[in-house]
Amino acid sequence: MLSEENRKKTIVGGAVLAILILSGSYLVNSLRPVTREGSFLRKTFEIKRGDGFFAIVKRLKEEDLVRSSLSFGKLAILTGSARELKPGTYSLSPSMSSFHILATLARGPEREVVVRIPDGKSLYEIDGILADAGVFPRGSLISYASSSPGIEGRLFPDTYRFFTNAPVREVVEKFHANFNKKAEPILGGDVRSSEILTIASILENEVPEYEDRRIVAGIVKKRMNVGMKLQMDATLCYMKEVAARAPLPCYPLTSLDFKYDSPYNTYLYKGLPPGPIGNPGTSSIRAALNPKPSPYWFYLSDPETKRTVWSETLDEHEDNRVKYLKVNR
């Protein structure tokens, strides 16, 4: 049996341990984000030169950016970051943890950049555009897409304002919010929205004019109905990017490209590729929704004039390939 003294020591030790556990639990909980993850609310937070550490921490709490000024202060002191907070203007979110906010303030201020995403660009190309603008490190969007399928086709092309060193998740949320605002009303809840976006992404990269896109959409529909391969070069271009996990020039296409085993190779496999091959604008989405009947089954683009040249038969198409593309028959 324990002596009275040892019993008291055990009780005290247990109480101290319980207090430490509860304190640790409270500290961890108080460093969590103020709001749920995924909230896109942003607040401008400024640190002026000469602002004291405790004054900064107090304002973070007043702006509802941290749960506890005391816990945030302890974290900053324990990590040695209390003296590292840099003057400048920041874009912070209540969905950021105290760890994230502290790292951001210690790294230095962000700056807002204007980025234009052209119609039809793939996520691999968009990754490079955003990296060149300083929004995030190169490869960030590509890595994010690997664990979050369904991004391609919904990175709506437009002009955006982003902060440098932004979390990729928030960048994607901004793209998707714009897609929901501008593209979803056109799709109108169509149950075939994934198929429509896939066709639209092909049209975007195959022909430039709206009426021509409607005709190509009709050709796609006809070929699929009779089980004919689509044979669209744009899908090969995307196939090369998927294989390299990086943006690549499309042309020249080699004989090996046409034989490469990929579900995006529409010269090998019938039907549509497994998903969009880029991010179409509203014109291509409308064209995909409104295919135009025509007598044509084939087409090509005149390299000099960029005009679409149509053919009703394979023989006529082969003649046009010789005439416009200088291909030996």
Side-chain angles (χ1 to χ4, degrees):
M1 293 180 65
L2 290 174
S3 66
E4 183 66 20
E5 183 180 351
N6 285 337
R7 190 175 69 83
K8 287 180 179 179
K9 286 181 179 179
T10 300
I11 292 173
V12 171
V16 170
L17 179 61
I19 290 171
L20 289 174
I21 292 172
L22 289 172
S23 297
S25 176
Y26 169 78
L27 181 62
V28 170
N29 184 66
S30 63
L31 296 174
R32 290 190 301 110
V34 174
T35 60
R36 65 177 179 82
E37 287 191 16
S39 171
F40 195 65
L41 175 66
R42 306 289 297 195
K43 293 186 177 184
T44 300
F45 186 82
E46 183 180 8
I47 297 180
K48 296 180 181 178
R49 198 168 299 278
D51 281 355
F53 170 70
F54 292 106
I56 294 170
V57 174
K58 181 182 177 183
R59 282 197 296 112
L60 285 170
K61 179 66 175 75
E62 291 172 347
E63 293 286 338
D64 287 326
L65 289 166
V66 299
R67 287 177 176 267
S68 167
S69 55
L70 179 61
S71 297
F72 185 90
K74 285 182 178 179
L75 177 66
I77 292 170
L78 289 173
T79 59
S81 301
R83 296 179 179 273
E84 301 297 323
L85 308 189
K86 296 177 175 59
T89 301
Y90 298 83
S91 175
L92 303 179
S93 170
S95 66
M96 297 165 65
S97 69
S98 289
F99 297 95
H100 189 175
I101 289 176
L102 181 60
T104 300
L105 298 181
R107 184 174 59 238
E110 304 157 332
R111 58 188 175 85
E112 192 175 52
V113 292
V114 178
V115 184
R116 178 179 171 270
I117 306 298
D119 291 358
K121 294 296 182 183
S122 70
L123 71 87
Y124 302 97
E125 294 171 301
I126 292 172
D127 178 88
I129 293 170
L130 294 176
D132 288 343
V135 176
F136 47 51
R138 193 173 301 276
S140 298
L141 182 61
I142 297 170
S143 297
Y144 186 87
S146 298
S147 58
S148 302
I151 289 176
E152 190 75 277
R154 289 173 167 79
L155 301 173
F156 191 74
D158 206 342
T159 299
Y160 293 87
R161 290 182 178 272
F162 294 114
F163 282 96
T164 56
N165 302 315
V168 64
R169 174 179 56 81
E170 293 185 5
V171 172
V172 171
E173 283 179 1
K174 196 164 189 175
F175 275 117
H176 284 184
N178 201 22
F179 177 89
N180 291 336
K181 179 182 177 182
K182 297 182 178 178
E184 279 293 357
I186 300 172
L187 290 167
D190 195 309
V191 294
R192 301 173 300 124
S193 59
S194 180
E195 177 182 313
I196 294 299
L197 284 176
T198 301
I199 295 173
S201 67
I202 293 173
L203 303 181
E204 190 76 65
N205 288 282
E206 284 281 317
V207 285
E209 303 296 333
Y210 174 70
E211 288 301 324
D212 286 355
R213 287 172 177 168
R214 289 188 62 206
I215 295 173
V216 174
I219 292 174
V220 168
K221 183 178 179 180
K222 286 198 300 185
R223 288 188 179 187
M224 289 177 64
N225 285 342
V226 300
M228 180 179 173
K229 294 172 185 174
L230 297 185
Q231 297 184 321
M232 305 287 185
D233 285 3
T235 64
L236 297 187
C237 301
Y238 187 75
M239 174 191 76
K240 292 166 65 174
E241 293 189 329
V242 171
R245 287 180 56 80
L248 290 177
C250 179
Y251 295 100
L253 292 170
T254 69
S255 59
L256 292 178
D257 291 326
F258 289 92
K259 298 174 184 176
Y260 187 82
D261 190 1
S262 164
Y264 290 97
N265 189 338
T266 54
Y267 282 85
L268 283 184
Y269 295 101
K270 296 177 182 179
L272 293 172
I277 62 169
N279 296 274
T282 55
S283 171
S284 290
I285 295 174
R286 292 183 191 278
L289 285 166
N290 296 281
K292 185 175 183 178
S294 75
Y296 308 123
W297 287 84
F298 305 91
Y299 65 94
L300 58 81
S301 178
D302 182 347
E304 294 185 8
T305 66
K306 307 303 179 185
R307 181 175 63 89
T308 304
V309 181
W310 310 99
S311 305
E312 296 185 27
T313 66
L314 180 58
D315 281 341
E316 185 182 359
H317 180 61
E318 292 297 336
D319 287 341
N320 285 333
R321 281 168 52 82
V322 173
K323 179 179 179 180
Y324 294 99
L325 304 181
K326 315 303 180 188
V327 175
N328 293 327
R329 183 159 185 174

